[in-house]
Amino acid sequence: MITFEPEFFLKRNRDIDEVTLRAIAREVRKDILKMTSNAQSGHPGGAMSATDIIVTLYYYKMRHNPLNPKWEERDRFVLSKGHVCPALYSVLARTGYFPLEKLMEFRKIDGDLQGHPDMHKTPGIEISTGSLGHGIGAAVGMALGLKLSGSDSKVYCMIGDGEAQEGSVWEATMAASHYNLSNLVVILDNNNLQIDGPVDEVMSIYPAAEKWRAFGWNVMEINGHDFKEIKEALDRADRSKFKPTIIIAKTVKGKGVSFMENRAEWHGKALPPELLKEALKELGEIV
Amino acid sequence: MEKVSLRDAYGDTLVKLGEKDERIVVLDADLSGSTKTAKFAKRFPERFFNMGIAETNMMNTAAGLATTGKIPFVSTFAIFGTGRAWEAVRQTICYPNLSVKIVCTHGGITVGEDGASHQALEDVANMRNIPNMRVIVPADDVETRAVIRKIAYTDGPFYVRLTREKFPRIFDEETFKFEIGKGHVLREGEDVTVIANGVMTSFALLAAEELEREGISVEVIHMSCVKPIDSELIVKSAQKTGAVVTAEEHSIIGGLGSAVAEVLVENYPVPMERLGTPDVFGRSGKGWELLHYFGLDDKGIIEKVKKVLERKRR
């Protein structure tokens, strides 16, 4: 297991190479599959498309303190697409917010890891989310509040592409540029699959980059599974002086397991035990 | 009785709070002139956020601000704040139990000429059914000021329902004390209890005077705090009088009448009548005309009192 001292996370832009990030992400994907399989419930597909970005945020980019989750100088992460919380729970556990064993409490009646993030039950969760389209508005409020207080903390927020169909996403998008929230960075997990099928078939959000550009945002488009590109995009967002940034990350739903990739059916379904074994083997676990 | 503006009292109190505390921030959705948050905006432009006609995002943004240690007051018309934005209030404010103070004006039928689309007759019900939320319907400017000062420094979410129309002043600034979850006995009586809030409290007092001339002794309770509700006071008064009438400028479904009925039915059932708008939408007209049109006045209360006393005698 790859572990770091808690002090490691206190400064931004840490010295960590792509090989290490990839190795961590592989562990996180295994956690996601085990957690959802153990609960026989949850959303593995989207969690696996979001994994590489969340790993890069917590291990490379964000200033945070696993021993003091409410540390005032921390950067904030809002998981607006709350259903992919297994990826976030795994990263929080692995960076030291709570013991790894807790992950198996996911979705259990006596556990602290709710089906969607609960800020009062799980350390490190900045705000409770789950109903799509609300987290990004809360992130706007956090960025506004931090700016008003003269803090240099940043707010990172991940939204889904299906989520971008919610009108409130665009209300928040409008407000963020109106208030020049350059301390807000949104990442669009663009795996192009939602429950009922491909996003462009269910209700197209495209052209996405043009939409956010027209709303006054700093827009970048990257491969959301290329750690070098993720790191560079997050660094470039620091240079935006007036505009909020959106990183449109092309991703693959179910990334990492061949038979789950690009399959909408793994949006909200856990692997049965036989398939779990096979998937873990693909991720390099000796079963 | 002198008629006073609740929303002006709100705007003025916000300015006073803002002078003393930098954490106070105010959000509005393009209605700051009407909700009177414009008073705060003029004085503290850097702490006022006009969120445009986008109430859902306004609630979410207020929640985000609360997580950074600010004390956000959020205002718009009651129908939009508690209807349009209901899910954001539930998900992002109440579920995480954040200290966001939702103070809406233009509650009730007295919105007047704008008609049904703008008359919130279900706002108290909408807010009362969400865990962690507390709901307050003040009667006058004195109470409004006290409520705003109190909730600013009480953790968690609140909904305060104010109105467009001016209402008679009932309370004395010097002696009035507001406590969350406590009703006020404004007049003691023996035969029947009238529990009211908002503008209906002043009508309850008029009705009680009129009924006294007919030899009926009415206990009047002002119950601005619909949630948490003062169960103890309700039960105590019902035990004394044996009959209860509720009166509110709100649908009879889900508001004060329902809340009082819930308490009585589980603790001390007595004959009870509810005055409010029946299960219908409002209509255009002048605010005070509409109150009388829907029987939301002293006459309406007297009718209900007589009806409940008849049931009590049976």
Side-chain angles (χ1 to χ4, degrees):
Chain A
M1 188 173 149
I2 302 157
T3 51
F4 298 91
E5 292 302 313
E7 294 77 43
F8 175 77
F9 299 106
L10 297 179
K11 287 208 172 83
R12 287 195 193 115
N13 303 351
R14 291 170 287 275
D15 187 16
I16 185 165
D17 60 36
E18 279 95 61
V19 177
T20 311
L21 289 171
R22 194 169 302 118
I24 294 165
R26 201 177 302 124
E27 297 307 308
V28 170
R29 286 195 169 89
K30 287 190 223 165
D31 287 344
I32 293 166
L33 294 174
K34 289 178 197 167
M35 289 164 78
T36 50
S37 196
N38 181 56
Q40 273 305 299
S41 161
H43 302 80
M48 290 159 86
S49 71
T51 295
D52 296 335
I53 296 154
I54 297 176
V55 164
T56 311
L57 279 168
Y58 276 84
Y59 280 89
Y60 166 69
K61 189 68 196 176
M62 278 168 40
R63 187 167 74 196
H64 62 114
N65 188 348
L67 295 183
N68 179 12
K70 297 276 169 214
W71 182 42
E72 210 156 302
E73 288 166 50
R74 74 195 185 278
D75 294 325
R76 272 81 167 165
F77 177 65
V78 175
L79 186 62
S80 197
K81 49 176 297 189
H83 58 281
V84 308
C85 55
L88 179 56
Y89 292 160
S90 163
V91 168
L92 289 174
R94 288 180 176 277
T95 51
Y97 284 81
F98 48 83
L100 213 50
E101 303 85 75
K102 259 193 140 22
L103 293 179
M104 290 307 127
E105 292 179 7
F106 176 59
R107 290 191 170 230
K108 299 285 189 189
I109 192 150
D110 49 358
D112 291 328
L113 304 186
Q114 296 295 296
H116 294 84
D118 180 333
M119 68 185 285
H120 296 301
K121 289 206 168 74
T122 311
I125 299 297
E126 295 290 349
I127 190 150
S128 308
T129 54
S131 173
L132 296 175
H134 294 303
I136 184 172
V140 165
M142 288 178 194
L144 211 50
L146 291 167
K147 198 177 149 188
L148 192 59
S149 304
S151 160
D152 76 332
S153 290
K154 302 196 70 135
V155 181
Y156 296 90
C157 171
M158 177 180 272
I159 62 169
D161 45 14
E163 182 179 13
Q165 291 156 356
E166 288 282 4
S168 54
V169 167
W170 299 98
E171 293 181 8
T173 298
M174 200 183 299
S177 62
H178 182 82
Y179 284 107
N180 303 319
L181 299 180
S182 55
N183 56 345
L184 173 67
V185 180
V186 171
I187 301 110
L188 175 72
D189 181 13
N190 191 190
N191 60 34
N192 199 42
L193 277 179
Q194 58 190 113
I195 297 178
D196 278 351
V199 169
D200 45 350
E201 281 176 27
V202 175
M203 180 54 67
S204 179
I205 62 161
Y206 307 114
E210 281 86 337
K211 284 191 177 76
W212 264 282
R213 218 169 272 130
F215 272 77
W217 284 54
N218 175 34
V219 181
M220 286 180 247
E221 291 178 270
I222 63 162
N223 173 351
H225 298 304
D226 182 321
F227 289 100
K228 195 160 169 284
E229 283 190 35
I230 302 170
K231 283 165 87 174
E232 279 172 5
L234 291 172
D235 289 347
R236 264 173 54 204
D238 291 341
R239 297 201 287 273
S240 183
K241 286 282 166 281
F242 302 104
K243 294 177 176 183
T245 294
I246 183 156
I247 299 168
I248 298 174
K250 275 237 66 49
T251 55
V252 173
K253 200 155 195 160
K255 175 75 178 175
V257 174
S258 59
F259 60 87
M260 293 178 81
E261 288 191 359
N262 284 318
R263 301 276 293 271
E265 63 193 271
W266 297 113
H267 170 90
K269 203 171 79 179
L271 292 178
E274 329 76 74
L275 282 179
L276 174 67
K277 230 184 238 177
E278 210 176 303
L280 291 177
K281 216 188 290 170
E282 271 197 39
L283 288 165
E285 179 142 306
I286 303 141
V287 197
Chain B
M1 285 188 270
E2 184 196 353
K3 280 189 187 156
V4 289
S5 161
L6 282 65
R7 49 188 169 131
D8 277 306
Y10 168 51
D12 294 335
T13 309
L14 275 183
V15 172
K16 285 211 175 112
L17 287 173
E19 280 167 355
K20 277 186 257 153
D21 194 337
E22 287 218 327
R23 294 172 300 169
I24 305 282
V25 295
V26 177
L27 297 86
D28 205 303
D30 194 41
L31 290 168
S32 62
S34 298
T35 64
K36 303 298 174 188
T37 61
K39 293 174 192 251
F40 184 94
K42 199 173 159 207
R43 187 68 194 278
F44 307 105
E46 72 291 347
R47 282 190 269 147
F48 174 79
F49 303 106
N50 202 325
M51 302 310 291
I53 308 168
E55 295 79 10
T56 299
N57 182 56
M58 174 165 71
M59 294 301 173
N60 289 328
T61 300
L65 279 160
T67 69
T68 67
K70 307 294 176 203
I71 304 173
F73 278 80
V74 186
S75 292
T76 175
F77 288 178
I79 194 68
F80 311 129
T82 70
R84 178 62 156 255
W86 185 87
E87 211 229 354
V89 174
R90 179 194 186 272
Q91 304 284 8
T92 325
I93 295 173
C94 292
Y95 175 39
N97 201 17
L98 292 170
S99 288
V100 175
K101 321 300 173 188
I102 302 169
V103 182
C104 289
T105 64
H106 294 62
I109 198 80
T110 49
V111 163
E113 293 85 339
D114 276 353
S117 62
H118 283 57
Q119 291 159 341
L121 299 172
E122 55 283 271
D123 55 326
V124 171
N126 286 349
M127 293 292 102
R128 195 169 75 89
N129 62 19
I130 312 178
N132 291 334
M133 183 56 109
R134 282 152 294 176
V135 180
I136 304 168
V137 185
D140 69 2
D141 61 332
V142 173
E143 184 172 29
T144 300
R145 282 189 280 274
V147 166
I148 299 302
R149 285 194 300 264
K150 181 77 183 177
I151 66 170
Y153 297 105
T154 308
D155 282 343
F158 283 89
Y159 172 62
V160 180
R161 190 236 222 170
L162 304 178
T163 48
R164 170 174 182 251
E165 197 65 65
K166 291 179 178 179
F167 289 163
R169 180 180 286 155
I170 304 178
F171 296 113
D172 176 11
E173 192 89 59
E174 303 293 306
T175 58
F176 181 76
K177 290 241 168 359
F178 174 77
E179 242 183 286
I180 293 162
K182 289 280 176 235
H184 293 86
V185 180
L186 301 184
R187 188 183 169 117
E188 294 195 23
E190 302 295 329
D191 301 327
V192 60
T193 305
V194 176
I195 304 175
N197 64 20
V199 68
M200 296 311 294
T201 299
S202 62
F203 285 124
L205 290 169
L206 290 177
E209 261 173 53
E210 176 72 31
L211 286 163
E212 194 178 54
R213 284 194 282 274
E214 296 180 29
I216 299 166
S217 164
V218 182
E219 177 141 303
V220 177
I221 295 176
H222 173 61
M223 192 66 76
S224 51
C225 212
V226 182
K227 186 186 172 188
I229 200 156
D230 194 342
S231 311
E232 208 180 307
L233 181 60
I234 294 169
V235 171
K236 211 174 84 188
S237 187
Q239 282 168 342
K240 180 166 74 163
T241 65
V244 171
V245 169
T246 58
E248 62 194 310
E249 189 197 346
H250 185 277
S251 166
I252 54 164
I253 299 174
L256 175 68
S258 297
V260 170
E262 287 158 17
V263 171
L264 288 177
V265 83
E266 286 184 353
N267 294 285
Y268 193 79
V270 293
M272 179 186 167
E273 291 288 329
R274 293 169 298 152
L275 179 63
T277 52
D279 188 18
V280 296
F281 288 104
R283 56 178 297 151
S284 289
K286 295 214 176 301
W288 287 89
E289 279 173 4
L290 286 163
L291 284 172
H292 300 311
Y293 179 91
F294 282 99
L296 302 177
D297 53 15
D298 43 345
K299 265 201 264 169
I301 293 171
I302 289 168
E303 240 170 71
K304 292 285 186 194
V305 164
K306 292 194 170 161
K307 199 168 165 197
V308 85
L309 285 176
E310 207 169 289
R311 289 173 57 199
K312 183 182 160 184
R313 266 179 240 117
R314 268 189 241 140

